[in-house]
Amino acid sequence: MSAHIPVTEEPGLSSVAATIPSSCLHDIFRAADRAERAGTEVIKLHVGEPYFGPPPAVAEALVDAVRGGRTSYTEVEGLLALREAVVHKLAVTGGADTDPSRVFITPGSCQGLSALLHTLAEPGAEILLPELHWPVHLQQALLAGFRPVFYPLDENYRPDPEGIRAAASPRTRVLLVNSPANPTGVVLDAALLGELYGVARQEGWQIISDEAYEHYVYDGAHVALASLEREVPSAERIVHSTYSFSKSMAMTGYRLGYVVAANERTAKALRVVQEASIIGPSAPVQHAGVTALGLTDAADTHRKLVRHNRDTALAPLVEAGLLRGLPAGGWYAMADIGRTGLDAEAFTERLLSAHRVAVVAGAGFAMRPGLDEFGRITSTAFPPWSRSLIRIAFCVDPEALSTGVARLLDFVRDMER
């Protein structure tokens, strides 16, 4: 299915941004918000907002920074104390072996990803994204000037290195990898990551590794892609990593993340992008980040809470055949409701209106935009297989999650009758 999107002739509205549609995530967010304003209590399984918050010491550090007057501009890269804490954290956890000069503190990992894409973009360059992807990755790539190409995933949503190689072209410059993955929850092991790294190295590509869910691995162990080149001289490294405090430390509204550039060349260009876009991150929030990185047990506590949700509330979806298995990591699961006879858009609308449960239709995670010569979207298409998928967030309140899953299963049974 595809739709034609005309590029307007009206002055000021023919930019690339003007042609990019709002993501499926914000569509359902607004629909659920409208229902709540109308007096309906909604079970929110559509948004990755954890039911737990950051440790109290994080808020205390923020308040102390404000009251202590530590509210001035910081360096473009961020507070040195926080960057040094990041370097220590990565060394301890087996992530990137880096230097504070290549660490950039950002207002959330989303802005960090955007800044990194702008740093790496070249005119006419292509970026390889997974065929099931976080919609914001696609939006950011288009805004940076990349032309997206989508690489295939197997029946378990794992990438095939040779499939990636086949999808590439001489214009390919960047491979994006996200493990644990949003929206699938797939965790890539060291062997597969090594194959992906080998392909990128051989083909001369840069890699962006989105590490937002690094602490949420339930089956197996998390491997930071940048850890595979710890013995490579920094000037020859190709893996640029982005991290978030929103997931590990439940600091969603604080808006704090960081980028680790692979080499000094990229760091130099990224420094310019940061200066031209944010000047510098919020100083009080960065002081809270220093404290957060010192609370080494908090991320493990949060992981156990979400894993308990996964093991208990999602098991009935596996038993009902809507999930192939429990997701190995992350905060989300992709269920297939094709047997109901409804496409996911109709399913999510009726589930919200009749049962007051909000989930996300899956097609928006698989959009294929058609572009004109300037990178503006002229049409959108969605693979048929994506029309039966829905994404469920399982980081939410356990009681709400169990109730929402039960209502979803009741709705599926009703449709099957």
Side-chain angles (χ1 to χ4, degrees), residues 2 13 23 44 60 91 124-125 172 189 206 223 228 245 263 296 303 308 332 358 371 377 390-391 405:
S2 64
L13 293 178
S23 79
K44 300 177 179 179
E60 292 167 7
T172 300
D189 58 28
Q206 301 292 298
V223 178
L228 303 184
F245 284 77
N263 51 63
T296 55
R303 179 187 60 82
H308 181 265
Y332 311 102
L371 307 180
I377 295 180
I390 60 171
R391 192 193 75 169
V405 167

Side-chain angles (χ1 to χ4, degrees), residues 298-356:
D300 187 55
T301 298
H302 296 161
R303 179 187 60 82
K304 290 176 181 177
L305 293 173
V306 181
R307 177 171 187 159
H308 181 265
N309 275 6
R310 181 199 75 148
D311 294 346
T312 55
L314 297 189
L317 294 174
V318 177
E319 296 167 5
L322 299 179
L323 283 180
R324 297 174 185 173
L326 295 177
W331 282 4
Y332 311 102
M334 291 296 279
D336 192 325
I337 48 82
R339 72 192 201 204
T340 65
L342 298 174
D343 66 30
E345 287 79 6
F347 182 94
T348 56
E349 289 174 5
R350 292 176 63 173
L351 183 66
L352 178 59
S353 62
H355 295 273
R356 305 186 303 284

Side-chain angles (χ1 to χ4, degrees), residues 13-21 139 142-145 371-372 374-377:
L13 293 178
S14 57
S15 66
V16 169
T19 68
I20 299 175
Q139 291 176 325
L142 291 168
L143 287 170
L371 307 180
D372 68 10
F374 303 107
R376 296 175 297 193
I377 295 180

Side-chain angles (χ1 to χ4, degrees), residues 32-339:
D33 189 54
R34 286 194 299 270
E36 283 195 321
R37 288 200 305 270
T40 300
E41 184 177 351
V42 176
I43 294 179
K44 300 177 179 179
L45 308 185
H46 63 297
V47 61
E49 184 67 50
Y51 73 96
F52 45 85
V58 173
E60 292 167 7
L62 177 70
V63 172
D64 288 345
V66 173
R67 289 179 173 166
R70 289 174 285 165
T71 57
S72 303
Y73 287 131
T74 70
E75 295 177 278
V76 168
E77 301 91 338
L79 284 172
L80 178 59
L82 181 52
R83 289 185 283 127
E84 289 176 337
V86 165
V87 171
H88 175 73
K89 172 254 185 182
L90 293 173
V92 170
T93 61
D97 172 32
T98 190
D99 182 87
S101 65
R102 299 195 297 274
V103 175
F104 291 78
I105 309 304
T106 61
S109 66
C110 187
Q111 186 276 331
L113 278 162
S114 179
L116 184 54
L117 283 162
H118 278 83
T119 300
L120 298 176
E122 301 175 14
E126 294 177 351
I127 183 171
L128 290 163
L129 302 175
E131 61 181 355
L132 264 177
H133 51 268
W134 185 38
V136 176
H137 282 151
L138 174 57
Q139 291 176 325
Q140 291 175 333
L142 291 168
L143 287 170
F146 280 104
R147 303 185 77 88
V149 174
F150 301 93
Y151 59 83
L153 304 175
D154 66 17
E155 66 276 7
N156 295 312
Y157 302 132
R158 290 164 57 85
D160 169 47
E162 291 310 310
I164 289 176
R165 197 190 299 271
S169 82
R171 295 185 298 276
T172 300
R173 295 293 182 272
V174 175
L175 168 66
L176 187 142
V177 178
N178 178 208
S179 173
N182 176 6
T184 63
V186 165
V187 175
L188 306 184
D189 58 28
L192 182 51
L193 287 173
E195 291 184 64
L196 300 180
Y197 176 78
V199 171
R201 170 67 71 182
Q202 185 177 31
E203 298 294 335
W205 306 334
Q206 301 292 298
I207 296 176
I208 293 177
S209 182
D210 184 343
E211 303 279 350
Y213 298 93
E214 58 172 327
H215 287 110
Y216 292 90
V217 175
Y218 318 115
D219 302 328
H222 174 66
V223 178
L225 215 163
S227 70
L228 303 184
E229 56 179 7
R230 292 173 70 91
E231 304 304 317
V232 176
S234 62
E236 301 173 17
R237 295 180 184 179
I238 61 173
V239 180
H240 313 277
S241 306
T242 63
Y243 292 85
S244 175
F245 284 77
S246 295
K247 311 305 187 289
S248 301
M249 302 305 298
M251 293 169 62
T252 54
Y254 283 71
R255 310 312 305 133
L256 187 63
Y258 54 97
V259 175
V260 180
N263 51 63
E264 292 296 338
R265 296 186 309 278
T266 303
K268 181 179 179 180
L270 181 54
R271 197 168 290 114
V272 173
V273 174
Q274 289 291 88
E275 182 180 10
S277 57
I278 64 168
I279 301 297
S282 162
V285 171
Q286 290 185 78
H287 287 290
V290 174
T291 296
L293 286 182
L295 303 172
T296 55
D297 293 337
D300 187 55
T301 298
H302 296 161
R303 179 187 60 82
K304 290 176 181 177
L305 293 173
V306 181
R307 177 171 187 159
H308 181 265
N309 275 6
R310 181 199 75 148
D311 294 346
T312 55
L314 297 189
L317 294 174
V318 177
E319 296 167 5
L322 299 179
L323 283 180
R324 297 174 185 173
L326 295 177
W331 282 4
Y332 311 102
M334 291 296 279
D336 192 325
I337 48 82
R339 72 192 201 204

